[in-house]
């Protein structure tokens, strides 16, 4: 019986691959034989991810919120005869922002978060899906957040809205793309200390706030980036062949 977690015949593109969840996801697929394409706007860090994954992993610097940049990326991949069959839309975050009252939020601030957390998922999926349809196979896994199902710990309105929108897009695309054997699923992580932004949020909570956060988790501990990578591996695997349009909360239990 073939190992359902053998990805030696897969080409996996991961956005937001410079650190945190994205790096862990790249490492997990590379360790299981996949051709990994690591993408991020941070050049030095994404190249470091590729180096950690080992020979054969490719790194591209790309702004996924730009239609032109996404188109250029897929043209480059096509020129190298690389056909993406597994897309992990992980790029996101609060782009350096912190919570503030609604009346003080500028449209530029709102748009910056929506661009990377929602528009980027749309653009990357749109670019990848033609090849998946042609091969009658594809896996799209989007990384949202607990904020998309509840409220954001940061208090950032655009972040909660964009992640909720991403979950809606996941469900819609699952129905649209199902006839081509393309599954679309979503992983909704809880709070995990995985990058400089989450470290900043953790520190801002103070010891009392940190303890409250942990006390509200059923397992009474924070997760790690590898927990998210493992959920992604499942959705990409043959064990999830009849699973689509789903949201898997990986948050230690609420």
């Amino acid at each position: 019986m073939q190992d359902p977690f053998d990805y030696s015949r897969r080409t996996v593109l991961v956005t937001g691959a410079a650190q945190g969840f994205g790096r862990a996801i790249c490492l997990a697929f590379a360790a299981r034989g996949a051709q990994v394409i690591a993408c991020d706007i941070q050049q030095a860090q994404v190249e470091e991810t590729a180096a950690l994954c080992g020979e054969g992993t490719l790194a591209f610097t790309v702004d996924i919120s730009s239609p032109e940049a996404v188109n250029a990326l897929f043209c480059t991949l096509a020129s190298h005869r690389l056909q993406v069959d597994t897309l992990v839309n992980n790029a996101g975050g609060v782009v350096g922002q912190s919570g503030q009252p609604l009346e003080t939020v500028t449209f530029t601030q709102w748009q910056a978060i929506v661009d990377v957390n929602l528009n980027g998922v749309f653009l990357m999926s749109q670019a990848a899906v033609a090849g998946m349809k042609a091969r009658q196979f594809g896996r799209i896994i989007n990384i949202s957040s607990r904020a998309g199902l509840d409220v954001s710990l940061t208090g950032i309105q655009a972040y909660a809205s964009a992640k909720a929108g991403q979950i809606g897009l996941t469900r819609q695309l699952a129905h649209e793309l199902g006839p081509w054997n393309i599954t679309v699923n979503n992983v909704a992580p809880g709070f995990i200390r995985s990058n400089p932004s989450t470290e900043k949020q953790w520190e801002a909570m103070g010891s009392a706030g940190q303890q409250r956060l942990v006390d509200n988790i059923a397992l009474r501990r924070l997760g790690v980036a590898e927990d998210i990578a493992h959920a992604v591996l499942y959705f990409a695997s043959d064990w999830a062949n009849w699973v689509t349009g789903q949201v898997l909360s990986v948050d230690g239990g609420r």
Side-chain angles (χ1 to χ4, degrees):
M1 180 179 179
Q2 184 177 349
D3 180 358
F5 295 97
D6 174 8
Y7 297 102
S8 57
R9 296 182 180 180
R10 296 284 193 92
T11 299
V12 182
L13 190 156
V14 182
T15 67
Q19 60 189 358
F21 300 158
R23 177 170 288 183
I25 292 164
C26 287
L27 288 167
F29 275 113
R32 291 161 178 82
Q35 164 69 71
V36 174
I37 302 166
C39 298
D40 202 287
I41 200 168
Q42 302 178 72
Q43 181 176 356
Q45 292 93 326
V46 75
E47 290 177 352
E48 182 178 307
T49 294
L52 290 170
C53 288
E55 186 177 356
T57 299
L58 302 176
F60 290 93
T61 305
V62 58
D63 176 3
I64 63 159
S65 69
S66 164
E68 295 78 16
V70 170
N71 181 64
L73 169 66
F74 276 83
C75 285
T76 299
L77 295 178
S79 71
H80 290 284
R81 297 186 177 180
L82 289 169
Q83 299 179 325
V84 175
D85 53 56
T86 304
L87 171 65
V88 184
N89 287 308
N90 168 71
V94 298
V95 297
Q97 297 183 36
S98 56
Q100 57 183 314
L102 177 61
E103 62 269 26
T104 68
V105 178
T106 68
F107 182 73
T108 299
Q109 289 174 315
W110 169 275
Q111 191 67 54
I113 288 178
V114 172
D115 275 345
V116 69
N117 289 282
L118 180 55
N119 293 345
V121 174
F122 164 75
L123 291 171
M124 291 296 295
S125 300
Q126 185 181 51
V129 77
M132 293 180 180
K133 283 183 173 182
R135 292 184 297 280
Q136 291 282 302
F137 178 86
R139 297 286 181 266
I140 299 174
I141 302 113
N142 301 323
I143 310 299
S144 60
S145 168
R146 180 75 191 177
L149 297 167
D150 194 354
V151 296
S152 173
L153 292 175
T154 66
I156 299 175
Q157 304 88 348
Y159 185 72
S161 301
K163 290 302 191 184
Q166 186 199 102
I167 290 170
L169 180 62
T170 297
R171 292 173 175 145
Q172 190 65 40
L173 292 183
H175 280 268
E176 178 181 341
L177 301 177
W180 287 272
N181 193 33
I182 301 168
T183 66
V184 189
N185 290 292
N186 198 290
V187 178
F191 181 82
I192 295 177
R193 298 168 63 186
S194 61
N195 57 49
S197 291
T198 52
E199 282 300 310
K200 183 178 178 181
Q201 293 170 32
W202 178 253
E203 292 169 6
M205 293 177 195
S207 58
Q210 293 167 3
Q211 190 60 54
R212 281 195 301 271
L213 175 66
V214 173
D215 287 344
N216 284 327
I217 298 172
L219 291 175
R220 297 299 192 273
R221 61 179 174 83
L222 299 181
V224 294
E226 288 73 19
D227 293 320
I228 306 309
H230 296 161
V232 171
L233 289 176
Y234 165 69
F235 276 139
S237 76
D238 289 344
W239 281 2
N241 279 343
W242 207 49
V243 179
T244 194
Q246 301 305 304
V247 181
L248 176 60
S249 293
V250 183
D251 56 12
R254 302 292 292 180

